[in-house]
Amino acid sequence: MTAVAPTAKDFKSDQEIRWCPGCGDYAILKQMQKVMADLKAERHNTVFVSGIGCSSRFPYYMNTYGFHTIHGRGPAVATGLKVARPELDVWLITGDGDGLSIGAGHLVHTMRRNVDINILLFNNRIYGLTKGQYSPTSEVGKKTKSTPMGSLDTPINPLQVALASEAAFVGRCIDVDGKHQQEMLKRAAAFRGTAFLEIYQDCNVYNHMAWEYATDRKIKAENIVVIEHGQPLIFGAERNKGIHLDGLKPRIVELGNGVGVDDLLVHDETDATLAYLLTQLRYPDFPEPVGVFHAVERPCYEKAVAEQIAAAREKKGEGDLKALIHGGDTWIVE
Amino acid sequence: MPAATPKPTESVTSATVRFAGDSGDGMQLAGTQFTHTSAIFGNDVSTLPDFPAEIRAPAGTLAGVSGFQINFSSRDIHTPGDRVDALIAMNPAALKSNLADLVEGGILIINVDEFTEANLKRAKWDHNPLEGDTLHAYRVYEVPITRHTMEAVKPTGLGAKEASRCKNFYALGMVFWLYDRPLDTTLGWIDKKFSRREEIAEANTLALRAGYSFGDTAEMFSVQYAVTRATLPAGTYRNVTGNQALAMGLVAAARLSDRPLFYGSYPITPASDILHELSSYKHFDVRTFQAEDEIAAVCSAIGAGFGGALAATGSSGPGIALKQEAIGLGVMTELPLLIIDVQRAGPSTGMPTKPEQTDLWQVLLGRNGECPLPVVAAQSPGDCFRTAIEAARVAMQYMTPVVILSDGFLANSSEPWKIPDVDGLEKIEIRHAVENNNPDGNFLPYLRNERGSRPWALPGTPGLEHRIGGLSKDDRTGNVSYDPLNHEKMIHLRAGKVANVADSVGPQPVFGEPHGKLLVISWGGTYGPVRTAVADAVDAGKSVGHLHLRWLNPLPSDLTEVLDSFERVLICEMNSGQLQLLIRGRYCLDAAGLHKVQGRPFTVAEVAERMDAMLEGQA
């Protein structure tokens, strides 16, 4: 269609953006528009689907096809769309409330089916749109409007949910780390199957600085570790620390004094057990991994649906309506 | 046994037979076979399967009784029959729970082998009904069905358990003889069904023939009954249940509109058979999706509809309740979607296998906000086919979710269905938007046509990129809008669009007298008993008309005139007056109601009695 290569601007819709100034969502929108342009995505073949919440306004701001659905149900709408139209590129935008509370069931089943869509879960550990109640990822003891004495429930770990749901692609990135986020979005876009990406996102009104340890330039190098397939886990401002595996127990070690790179844990995206172990590295005990935790290709749901249809046609021929309604015992009345 | 002298034959217009036994006794199968044979023989047929929700309730208990009733006739019939002329009771529990429906002087065939002390106790009989005068009002035939069956199948060498399982065929054979039916349809079915287990095929064949011969030769039965062929309109016929017809109707609608069918569903009684049927039609490009729950089922269909498929979801009352928020999304975004509600007795889990018409308010009024959508109800098993096509046409031409109401009775009962001419079915012409409709800027996804409908622009179409959602939207552009006047305007536009559906539905004809003393109104599955009762009344010269409402929303545009043409109006429904309230409210009319909320259809007599009372000014 377009003779000239698209730019990020081509992916901006004419709608005024209604997120609070300073919201982490702006950064993610910007990276997505850039990535779309870089990938030379076709606007008309791209669909953004979302549920309800601040993050779910995302589709309105993309100049593609979009569907802002109802709370938690985005994955089901996206699944139906992809089964009906496998050739479309379908992205699902959700949040920690939308995806892990009211819509947790749909998220789980979409990932186990391995529908070829990309799921971006904006995790700000708070309900923003409803003005500040605790979310399924809020830490225990979180004081909010609905929990003045502190929240009681143990938070859920989005990546562990994804792995338990047999997600084929599981990753994590951070709203303000644009370059890494772009890489992750591109990996997700290229992946055939459900790609689940958790994005640490700052709600600067109701939960500002929730991810300060992972975003503050002064300290973040000590608190996150970028994981890459085949590479040892090294982190720290001086890149002098690493993760060593002691049996099944991860330990932080300093390089030098007889400890070398060979002693460090080497990441393997294909190893689900390792992926699960990495999800357990949590601040402040450990640096939190960002990157692709797990990526293994397996058959996509919508493709399998199409294959069954093709197989049925191979066996029975193209459906004949007349034969269908004349099926079973018939008789003629004269 | 020596051939007995031929027994006399008595001709009857119609008969109603009920097979009743334990849910493991194969009564549904016996009933289905009797139905097929009678239909192929040329009778008009209507059936009422009645089975427990439990897969296998404890054997011999009242909870485990399964029944199958068949009304077959040499005349045009619309109901499975009010009372039973012949009851086959395979055990004491079956006798106990079915005896009340047997007409006085009716035929009662009893499997005496099962009338043991223990079975009587399980069925909560405080005495043995075979002794004393409990059954004196009936023509009782005590037959050792189990023992006879075991003897008949002995040559096959089957074990006792498998051998005794053939007793439904023995009973069927007896009833075939009693009503002078040919055996060949069932024999053919047995051969086909058990082609890989010859000994089972042989055993069932032997049992069937033995039952038939017993009727013929035993001194017990003195007379055979003949129900001659009905004069049905010429054509090719088959038996069909409502769920089968609905599934085929959906496939036909997809074909007629030249697109794949997407069916998102979650298993629920009594709608699951639609999912089962459709999942075997993959070669028609039918994409069935067994979702993780009812909400995902409807949402996946909404996504598929957005993508351009003919999208449908099916459930029963409890599932529809779960889908309502998403149905509202379909109304708000104005996407085509079919919602099938196979109604069952409620509230809550209710009686899953029993029919009611108690979801009318739910589908019309059960969503947040002002959320109107078209609602159509099928009137008979075969009618489900046409209803599905009609609903699909409205959904896609008006860009709206449409509810199809069926019920547990229509879903599972069957009738001879005159197979329509496929080539004569009208195409569903759908034109998707392919060009920008706005010379001044971006595509307008909510610009309306003369029907009040918006364009269906599919993702993948260059230049028409747009966003839709559940938020209030600006007229024409579809952009999010909180403007108060625009919000109200959009509510009126959507409601007006649904009201416009009346134009393509047309007026609803009145059967019987076009004006007079009493108009009887029915909807959905109450069609059969009401039509039969009114037809009898008209034959008897009474001043009665019958209006059957297929579309419950919008109601026919000429309804005011029809209502005004009669002195009184009676609305019959299997609820406590849901349509009655709507008609009273909308037309300020003192309509009377006949209500039944027992999980079973009206009898013709119930309708007739109320009609007569009203005609005589007593009600």
Side-chain angles (χ1 to χ4, degrees):
Chain A
M1 265 302 287
T2 337
V4 283
T7 65
K9 211 177 147 217
D10 292 323
F11 289 90
K12 288 182 184 165
S13 79
D14 60 352
Q15 294 301 291
E16 194 186 322
I17 302 178
R18 305 265 184 97
W19 289 317
C20 307
C23 175
D25 291 352
Y26 283 94
I28 305 171
L29 178 65
K30 191 177 157 203
Q31 300 312 332
M32 178 60 84
Q33 287 163 343
K34 173 84 170 51
V35 164
M36 287 276 130
D38 288 354
L39 295 174
K40 298 187 173 59
E42 293 175 314
R43 290 195 295 113
H44 63 279
N45 279 328
T46 307
V47 187
F48 281 85
V49 178
S50 64
I52 293 292
C54 292
S55 59
S56 288
R57 297 294 180 98
F58 198 95
Y60 288 119
Y61 310 133
M62 293 295 297
N63 190 11
T64 62
Y65 283 91
F67 199 163
H68 179 220
T69 73
I70 45 176
H71 207 8
R73 320 304 174 194
V77 174
T79 297
L81 175 63
K82 188 71 182 176
V83 170
R85 299 286 303 281
E87 75 278 16
L88 297 172
D89 283 327
V90 180
W91 293 75
L92 177 75
I93 309 296
T94 184
D96 40 318
D98 188 65
L100 294 170
S101 209
I102 193 167
H106 307 306
L107 196 65
V108 164
H109 288 279
T110 303
M111 292 190 287
R112 75 161 167 105
R113 289 189 186 107
N114 200 32
V115 183
D116 184 15
I117 63 175
N118 307 311
I119 301 176
L120 309 185
L121 186 141
F122 297 10
N123 184 5
N124 56 19
R125 312 188 77 176
I126 200 80
Y127 280 86
L129 195 65
T130 49
K131 299 189 167 54
Q133 301 81 10
Y134 79 112
S135 92
T137 55
S138 296
E139 61 278 17
V140 175
K142 183 86 175 171
K143 287 192 176 165
T144 71
K145 277 182 191 159
S146 60
T147 50
M149 294 173 71
S151 63
L152 303 171
D153 1 3
T154 299
I156 207 166
N157 182 327
L159 300 191
Q160 290 177 356
V161 172
L163 288 167
S165 309
E166 304 286 345
F169 178 103
V170 177
R172 178 192 282 155
C173 59
I174 298 170
D175 56 358
V176 291
D177 189 347
K179 198 163 159 268
H180 184 255
Q181 191 189 142
Q182 282 180 31
E183 274 175 44
M184 291 300 103
L185 291 174
K186 286 176 183 172
R187 279 288 306 269
F191 187 79
R192 298 278 68 88
T194 306
F196 180 83
L197 190 60
E198 177 192 16
I199 305 179
Y200 286 180
Q201 176 247 325
D202 184 45
C203 172
N204 64 324
V205 174
Y206 294 105
N207 204 18
H208 191 35
M209 303 299 213
W211 303 113
E212 186 185 18
Y213 64 88
T215 54
D216 185 323
R217 284 178 198 286
K218 291 193 256 342
I219 53 171
K220 71 174 185 180
E222 305 300 323
N223 296 331
I224 59 170
V225 52
V226 178
I227 52 173
E228 283 179 86
H229 184 63
Q231 298 298 316
L233 272 66
I234 301 175
F235 68 102
E238 311 292 328
R239 303 222 18 105
N240 62 341
K241 291 184 213 165
I243 304 291
H244 167 75
L245 211 52
D246 195 356
L248 283 174
K249 279 199 189 318
R251 271 197 303 122
I252 296 172
V253 292
E254 282 205 31
L255 292 170
N257 293 329
V259 178
V261 170
D262 291 349
D263 296 312
L264 300 182
L265 170 60
V266 174
H267 184 42
D268 178 357
E269 289 176 357
T270 65
D271 185 341
T273 310
L274 176 59
Y276 189 81
L277 187 143
L278 293 176
T279 64
Q280 290 179 305
L281 303 184
R282 301 297 328 217
Y283 175 82
D285 299 330
F286 289 98
E288 293 190 345
V290 294
V292 176
F293 284 61
H294 190 49
V296 179
E297 298 257 348
R298 62 183 177 90
C300 296
Y301 183 80
E302 75 285 352
K303 221 174 150 191
V305 170
E307 280 164 5
Q308 282 199 343
I309 287 167
R313 284 178 158 167
E314 180 80 19
K315 196 175 156 198
K316 302 182 188 174
E318 177 84 19
D320 176 353
L321 195 55
K322 203 166 183 175
L324 173 70
I325 63 175
H326 281 79
D329 291 327
T330 62
W331 66 95
I332 292 169
V333 173
E334 290 174 0
Chain B
M1 240 183 285
T5 30
K7 294 179 181 174
T9 302
E10 191 182 309
S11 241
V12 288
T13 317
S14 58
T16 299
V17 172
R18 188 185 292 171
F19 293 89
D22 201 61
S23 41
D25 282 347
M27 294 295 98
Q28 302 300 317
L29 177 57
T32 311
Q33 285 303 315
F34 193 87
T35 306
H36 278 289
T37 289
S38 298
I40 291 172
F41 174 75
N43 295 133
D44 198 4
V45 176
S46 177
T47 71
L48 176 62
D50 182 29
F51 43 85
E54 295 78 15
I55 303 301
R56 285 283 157 89
T61 61
L62 291 165
V65 174
S66 168
F68 194 105
Q69 181 172 321
I70 312 109
N71 182 10
F72 53 108
S73 177
S74 54
R75 283 183 21 189
D76 187 19
I77 50 167
H78 306 291
T79 77
D82 285 8
R83 308 279 311 270
V84 175
D85 299 310
L87 172 66
I88 296 86
M90 299 295 281
N91 68 10
L95 179 67
K96 186 154 198 193
S97 54
N98 288 283
L99 191 59
D101 293 331
L102 185 61
V103 295
E104 207 163 303
I107 295 168
L108 179 55
I109 299 173
I110 291 177
N111 180 12
V112 287
D113 292 336
E114 300 297 323
F115 279 66
T116 60
E117 199 74 24
N119 280 347
L120 288 165
K121 209 172 143 195
R122 278 191 201 108
K124 303 201 185 328
W125 280 105
D126 55 11
H127 67 289
N128 186 345
L130 304 183
E131 295 156 9
D133 57 4
T134 308
L135 307 177
H136 78 275
Y138 312 103
R139 282 181 281 160
V140 181
Y141 300 97
E142 295 182 17
V143 185
I145 293 178
T146 310
R147 199 154 47 80
H148 280 188
T149 304
M150 306 285 273
E151 278 164 23
V153 307
K154 217 174 230 167
T156 61
L158 282 184
K161 200 174 164 194
E162 282 190 305
S164 81
R165 274 187 162 173
C166 301
K167 60 182 181 287
N168 57 337
F169 280 97
Y170 184 92
L172 179 62
M174 248 190 308
V175 184
F176 273 157
W177 177 83
L178 190 61
Y179 287 99
D180 195 17
R181 320 261 96 181
L183 298 182
D184 48 341
T185 306
T186 295
L187 288 173
W189 181 87
I190 290 173
D191 279 349
K192 210 169 143 194
K193 175 80 182 174
F194 300 107
S195 61
R196 289 194 192 156
R197 293 204 61 189
E198 276 177 27
E199 71 286 8
I200 303 282
E202 197 193 339
N204 284 327
T205 301
L206 287 170
L208 183 76
R209 288 192 187 282
Y212 190 92
S213 305
F214 180 78
D216 199 14
T217 53
E219 295 300 317
M220 207 174 256
F221 298 98
S222 52
V223 64
Q224 226 179 344
Y225 297 90
V227 179
T228 54
R229 287 175 175 79
T231 44
L232 297 167
T236 305
Y237 283 76
R238 63 172 283 183
N239 269 322
V240 75
T241 66
N243 277 347
Q244 287 171 338
L246 231 164
M248 290 190 292
L250 292 175
V251 174
R255 262 300 150 85
L256 294 171
S257 58
D258 194 22
R259 65 199 56 242
L261 172 67
F262 179 94
Y263 187 71
S265 191
Y266 184 76
I268 185 169
T269 302
S272 302
D273 278 341
I274 301 171
L275 174 63
H276 305 159
E277 291 280 328
L278 288 174
S279 62
S280 65
Y281 301 154
K282 290 190 201 299
H283 53 309
F284 286 88
D285 200 1
V286 173
R287 305 175 193 185
T288 53
F289 176 63
Q290 183 178 317
E292 58 270 23
D293 59 31
E294 295 282 0
I295 298 172
V298 62
C299 286
S300 64
I302 289 171
F306 180 52
L310 170 57
T313 185
S315 188
S316 187
I320 299 297
L322 286 165
K323 294 178 196 288
Q324 292 280 27
E325 186 200 11
I327 296 171
L329 177 68
V331 170
M332 189 60 150
T333 51
E334 302 183 52
L335 284 170
L337 169 70
L338 299 179
I339 303 116
I340 296 154
D341 181 357
V342 186
Q343 299 166 94
R344 68 189 214 189
S348 190
T349 310
M351 299 193 284
T353 56
K354 315 290 180 196
E356 269 179 15
Q357 295 182 305
T358 39
D359 286 350
L360 182 63
W361 284 350
Q362 175 178 220
V363 299
L364 283 173
L365 311 170
R367 289 171 295 282
N368 64 303
E370 299 216 339
C371 198
L373 47 66
V375 177
V376 61
Q379 68 187 43
S380 67
D383 182 60
C384 289
F385 181 80
R386 165 167 83 118
T387 304
I389 297 173
E390 215 175 325
R393 189 186 306 278
V394 167
M396 290 188 280
Q397 288 182 344
Y398 288 83
M399 293 293 283
T400 177
V402 175
V403 169
I404 299 173
L405 289 173
S406 173
D407 65 54
F409 165 58
L410 295 182
N412 289 314
S413 66
S414 65
E415 64 173 5
W417 177 50
K418 190 179 163 214
I419 301 172
D421 170 24
V422 170
D423 304 324
L425 295 172
E426 192 191 338
K427 287 254 172 221
I428 302 176
E429 298 286 352
I430 302 299
R431 269 186 239 139
H432 292 288
V434 288
E435 278 179 358
N436 190 354
N437 55 6
N438 181 16
D440 304 324
N442 289 337
F443 172 65
L444 299 170
Y446 288 83
L447 185 71
R448 289 168 200 280
N449 66 13
E450 68 289 351
R451 289 192 180 104
S453 178
R454 75 176 190 91
W456 195 4
L458 304 184
T461 314
L464 305 190
E465 294 83 3
H466 64 279
R467 277 67 57 192
I468 61 172
L471 286 167
S472 265
K473 51 184 57 58
D474 195 35
D475 183 22
R476 295 156 58 93
T477 67
N479 290 332
V480 176
S481 168
Y482 280 73
D483 179 79
L485 292 179
N486 175 76
H487 176 73
E488 190 172 56
K489 181 183 179 189
M490 288 298 275
I491 282 173
H492 292 156
L493 284 171
R494 286 189 297 268
K497 178 181 77 170
V498 171
N500 288 344
V501 171
D503 300 340
S504 59
V505 171
Q508 192 69 29
V510 174
F511 169 85
E513 298 298 325
H515 47 78
K517 283 191 176 165
L518 180 64
L519 177 70
V520 188
I521 297 179
S522 62
W523 67 271
T526 52
Y527 168 84
V530 171
R531 175 54 55 96
T532 307
V534 173
D536 290 348
V538 169
D539 283 350
K542 295 173 188 170
S543 177
V544 185
H546 175 207
L547 176 68
H548 181 77
L549 292 172
R550 286 177 57 72
W551 286 87
L552 284 317
N553 194 40
L555 289 165
S557 43
D558 63 339
L559 188 53
T560 308
E561 292 100 88
V562 175
L563 296 172
D564 286 348
S565 306
F566 290 85
E567 288 169 30
R568 300 193 67 186
V569 171
L570 171 66
I571 301 173
C572 304
E573 43 189 338
M574 288 158 64
N575 58 46
S576 301
Q578 299 194 1
L579 179 65
Q580 186 191 13
L581 181 81
L582 297 174
I583 298 276
R584 282 177 164 217
R586 193 169 304 178
Y587 299 91
C588 293
L589 178 87
D590 185 19
L594 175 62
H595 308 140
K596 186 174 184 179
V597 206
Q598 302 169 3
R600 51 184 178 176
F602 283 109
T603 63
V604 177
E606 285 165 343
V607 178
E609 196 181 321
R610 185 59 186 277
M611 278 168 35
D612 287 344
M614 285 183 72
L615 286 167
E616 288 156 21
Q618 291 165 351

